[in-house]
Every structure is written in structure tokens, then in C-alpha cells.
Amino acid sequence: MVGTALVLGASVRAQDASGSLNLPSNPQFFAKEDPNNRRAKVIINGEVITGTDVDQRVALIVNASGNKIGDEELQRLKLQVLRNLMDETLQIQEAKVQDVAIDQAEVDQTYARVASQNFGQDTKAMDAYLNRIGSSPASLKRQIRGELSWQRLLRRNVQPFVNVSDEEVRDVIKRMQESKGTEEFRVGEIFLSATEENKAAVFANAQKIVEQLKQGGSFQGYARQFSEASTAAVGGDLGWIRAAQLPAELATPLQQMSAGQLVGPIETRGGFSILLAIDKRQVLTADPRDALLSLKQISISFPKGTTAAQASAKAKAFSDAMQAARGCGTVDPIAAGLGAEVVTNDQMKARDLPAQLQNMVLALTLGETTPPFGSIEDGVRVLMLCGRDDPKSSVEPNFEQVQTSIEDERVNKRAQTYLRDLRRDAIIDYN
């Protein structure tokens, strides 16, 4: 902490994981401290984290949230990012101490893969994008190095000591089979721990996070930076779970949620949770949205200055031509005559389509198209169904997948303890 404060008042006892603390119930501070006034840099075990490091990492989150973060929220975000950078530094340092090497070539390879997913294999485009939003390639590569270091440390120092018996796996599979047909949910969670003393402040903080999320903030981004659960590293994703696996205070609202709905903050044992219902399905029951589709997307664009009337007329002619097409085999020459672009995807799961299109596409027969959709700015497009492979009637649980899931849960719990020990032993200077 910055500065030193002496406290005076009646004593109360507060428990923590390491023993009892003797704390005053009404502390009187002899020095005031502004939480928004941080020094230019932090030195953790001799390694410097600068204000620039924080700002460049914050820029990634701000951009992911559509640049809709107010000044007060931005200050809280900077403090959280600083804590994350300190953890990241400890993880990289521990990897060096344990002789866990992460080659620069491996970092660059992962960086290139991210660039490929977002910029069509163009790392220069990724570099330009990061610089344009106020971040930097070096900042993202450092984050990649931290994640790789921690993953490798856990694989070497934690995973070998986590054991899951065959009997445990069989018990889980049996419970899944007994639950066949019941609903399960894919859930995202942001968990903030709280005590009786700071409950009001934590609740207010959680409410502000919910407000930001409702205004378009990235749930995954906020979970990574704010959640104190072990799932923070994967954007708060709890995976597929049944309501019965959650505490009652979370299970009840979850059962009433629809996909995409956000609820919270909900008070739970030890803090507050914010839930996002990502998806819903029935246990061990075929879901039509798991059908594998072969689709053709046919799209037209409008020249700059096109009026709404002109766009409407062109869209109608386009729609009429597509409805007259006789299956996917005739699309390409028709599209060429219209100046339209055709893109084919033979491995599209229905559930990966936007929610508004899922049921519409699943209702198509081969060769049929959706109604045209789009805008003057983005152009108009239709989807034509060229093929469909429906999912199997029942997907039995895979032994290895269940075993891996249990192992991951236990590794995550031990990882939190490992990181807590690194924090406790760290030497930190604020300059």
C-alpha cells in the first residue's frame, strides 16, 4: 500500500485463512489515502511495472467494451489491471525460478495465431490495430508469455499430483445419465468476494460492472479482469452445468434465464455473483442446433450515396433472383450476373449462427434461402442451405472428457493456492 496509516479504536476479531486478526470496529485514520492516486510505477521482486504497461493493457479492455467506460469506471479498471499485471509478473518470475523456459519463438507463434484468427494471418495488421487503440504488440506478447508460463508451471508442478479415480468418473457419468432430458446451462460468472465489513462497497462495485455490461461491455473481458473465481482466465466460462450443481441462490434465477440474459449481482456465500446465460440444452438429448450445416452466403453491397429507396429496390431484385435459384448448384452464375459475392461454409454448426438466424435456417429445406437481411452500410445477404447433418439422437458422455473436466477443476483450485503463496512472498515497492 502507498503511505502508512495508524488506527485507533475498540477492538473486534476478524478471521482470515491464516488465523485471527485483531481489528478495531471503528478505525480512525491518521493519514488519508486517495485510491486513485497511484505512483508512476510498481516494482515487484525487482521488476518494474510502469503506468504505460497498465494503460496499454487497459486499452484492450476499453476497446472490447466499445469505448463506453466512464472516468470512475476507468480508474477502477486501472487498479484491477495493475493487480493482474502484478500476478502475471509473479507467474513469469516463478517460471524462470523453476527453469520453465518459454521461447520467444513460441510467443511469436501464438501471437501469429491470434493475428490469423482476427486479421487473416497478417501480423502487421494486428500490430497496427494494437498501436491504433493505444496498446502495443509488446503488451499482448507479454500477456501471452504470462499465460504460457503459468500453464507450463501448472502442468509440471500441479497436474502430476492431481488424481481422479475411474470410480469418480463413472459416478459422474452415471449421474449425467440419470439426468437425461433435464436442462443444463452454459454459464458465465463474475464472482467478487466480500466480507461483512466491505459487503456494501463490493455490491456497489458489482452493480457498476453490471451497468457496464448492459451498455455493451465485454463479459469475458470483465471476467478476466475482475472475477476472483478460478474461471477468470477463461472469461468466466463455467462450461455446461446443471442448476443443481450451483448454490440455491444461483440455481433459482438460472432456471428462469434465457440465452444471452444477464442477472446480478446475487449475494452468495462469500461474496456476489453476476451470471450470464450463454446457452441452454437438455442433458444427453440431441439438440437440433448441433446440426452441421453446409451454407452459401450470397451478398451484395451498395455504392456510397445509395438512397434507402434505391437500396430497397436492389434488395428486392436480389431476393427475387435468389428465390428463383434452383439449389446451390445454380447460385454461382446467378450471383455473378448480379455482381454478388458468394462465400461457402461446409462446417457451420447451427448454434454458431446469430440467434435470430438459428431457427430460420433450421427450418429451410435444401436449396432454400433465408429472407434478405443487412443494411445499406453493410450490404444485403441471404443464406442458402446446401446440406445438413443432424446430430445423433443421444450423445453419451465421454470418459476422457469427464475425467479431464474433474482434473481441470482440481488443478484450478490448487493454482489459486499456488498464486496466493507467490503474492504472499513477493517484495513490492511503489515508486
Side-chain angles (χ1 to χ4, degrees):
M1 297 294 294
V2 181
T4 302
L6 299 178
V7 293
L8 182 67
S11 295
V12 295
R13 298 185 68 80
Q15 298 292 328
D16 71 356
S18 61
S20 60
L21 300 177
N22 194 352
L23 301 175
S25 59
N26 186 23
Q28 176 184 351
F29 290 88
F30 285 78
K32 292 185 178 181
E33 183 176 17
D34 181 0
N36 295 323
N37 182 19
R38 293 288 174 177
R39 305 295 180 90
K41 62 183 179 182
V42 176
I43 304 175
I44 183 164
N45 292 335
E47 187 168 342
V48 176
I49 300 173
T50 68
T52 300
D53 294 328
V54 174
D55 291 340
Q56 290 183 347
R57 196 65 61 84
V58 166
L60 291 171
I61 305 168
V62 171
N63 186 74
S65 300
N67 298 304
K68 297 178 181 179
I69 296 181
D71 291 341
E72 181 180 352
E73 176 72 9
L74 187 62
Q75 291 301 322
R76 292 192 308 110
L77 183 58
K78 285 183 176 181
L79 293 178
Q80 183 62 45
V81 167
L82 174 59
R83 288 192 287 270
N84 293 346
L85 280 168
M86 293 169 73
D87 285 347
E88 185 180 285
T89 300
L90 290 171
Q91 291 165 349
I92 293 173
Q93 290 174 344
E94 177 68 2
K96 292 179 180 177
V97 170
Q98 297 287 335
D99 292 326
V100 174
I102 304 296
D103 295 334
Q104 184 61 40
E106 188 175 358
V107 174
D108 292 339
Q109 184 179 20
T110 304
Y111 182 83
R113 186 163 61 249
V114 175
S116 173
Q117 294 168 352
N118 294 276
F119 297 94
Q121 299 184 346
D122 189 348
T123 55
K124 291 184 179 178
M126 170 82 95
D127 294 346
Y129 162 76
L130 292 172
N131 289 324
R132 185 170 65 252
I133 66 172
S135 187
S136 73
S139 179
L140 183 53
K141 287 182 179 180
R142 188 183 190 278
Q143 183 174 349
I144 290 170
R145 180 176 293 278
E147 291 174 353
L148 292 175
S149 298
W150 193 234
Q151 290 168 5
R152 197 150 303 168
L153 274 171
L154 297 181
R155 282 202 299 269
R156 196 182 79 171
N157 295 346
V158 176
Q159 285 179 337
F161 307 100
V162 171
N163 297 311
V164 178
S165 69
D166 289 356
E167 184 179 357
E168 288 179 281
V169 177
R170 285 192 291 268
D171 284 345
V172 171
I173 292 176
K174 182 181 178 181
R175 289 197 297 271
M176 291 176 68
Q177 292 169 334
E178 291 171 346
S179 302
K180 183 175 180 178
T182 61
E183 283 188 327
E184 65 178 352
F185 306 82
R186 188 176 173 196
V187 182
E189 180 190 29
I190 296 174
F191 174 74
L192 306 177
S193 64
T195 64
E196 287 300 321
E197 289 75 19
N198 68 0
K199 181 187 293 186
V202 173
F203 179 73
N205 185 27
Q207 285 182 310
K208 291 176 181 177
I209 292 175
V210 171
E211 290 172 9
Q212 290 294 325
L213 294 173
K214 288 182 176 179
Q215 293 172 17
S218 166
F219 187 92
Q220 291 78 13
Y222 272 80
R224 281 179 174 272
Q225 301 300 333
F226 287 95
S227 181
E228 297 174 49
S230 60
T231 55
V234 291
D237 191 349
L238 297 178
W240 288 100
I241 58 174
R242 297 185 303 281
Q245 295 174 260
L246 295 175
E249 55 267 35
L250 298 180
T252 300
L254 179 62
Q255 291 172 306
Q256 301 169 358
M257 294 171 67
S258 56
Q261 188 175 351
L262 183 77
V263 297
I266 303 168
E267 185 172 0
T268 64
R269 182 179 179 181
F272 295 91
S273 287
I274 301 167
L275 295 184
L276 173 67
I278 302 172
D279 207 345
K280 182 190 296 188
R281 68 184 183 189
Q282 290 184 316
V283 177
L284 300 181
T285 303
D287 189 331
R289 294 175 303 158
D290 286 324
L292 194 62
L293 308 176
S294 174
L295 298 173
K296 281 197 174 185
Q297 176 185 274
I298 308 98
S299 58
I300 57 171
S301 58
F302 301 114
K304 188 176 181 179
T306 298
T307 65
Q310 291 170 332
S312 180
K314 188 174 180 180
K316 185 179 185 307
F318 171 64
S319 177
D320 291 343
M322 289 299 100
Q323 288 179 1
R326 300 170 126 186
C328 291
T330 66
V331 163
D332 288 2
I334 294 175
L338 295 171
E341 179 184 0
V342 179
V343 177
T344 301
N345 189 324
D346 291 325
Q347 299 291 317
M348 172 66 74
K349 273 194 174 182
R351 70 166 62 251
D352 294 332
L353 292 168
Q356 305 94 312
L357 288 173
Q358 289 180 13
N359 291 333
M360 188 180 295
V361 170
L362 287 173
L364 298 176
T365 57
L366 296 185
E368 284 190 322
T369 62
T370 64
F373 57 93
S375 65
I376 294 179
E377 294 77 16
D378 299 328
V380 171
R381 66 206 69 187
V382 299
L383 295 177
M384 177 176 281
L385 181 66
C386 302
R388 170 173 170 171
D389 293 319
D390 287 314
K392 296 179 181 179
S393 59
S394 178
V395 181
E396 291 296 323
N398 179 283
F399 187 95
E400 288 75 18
Q401 290 174 337
V402 172
Q403 185 178 49
T404 299
S405 177
I406 299 173
E407 288 176 349
D408 288 345
E409 180 181 357
R410 293 180 181 176
V411 167
N412 283 335
K413 289 180 179 178
R414 295 196 182 190
Q416 291 301 305
T417 302
Y418 194 171
L419 183 56
R420 187 179 64 215
D421 291 342
L422 294 178
R423 292 169 180 155
R424 184 191 60 211
D425 296 336
I427 299 174
I428 303 173
D429 293 317
Y430 291 90
N431 290 319

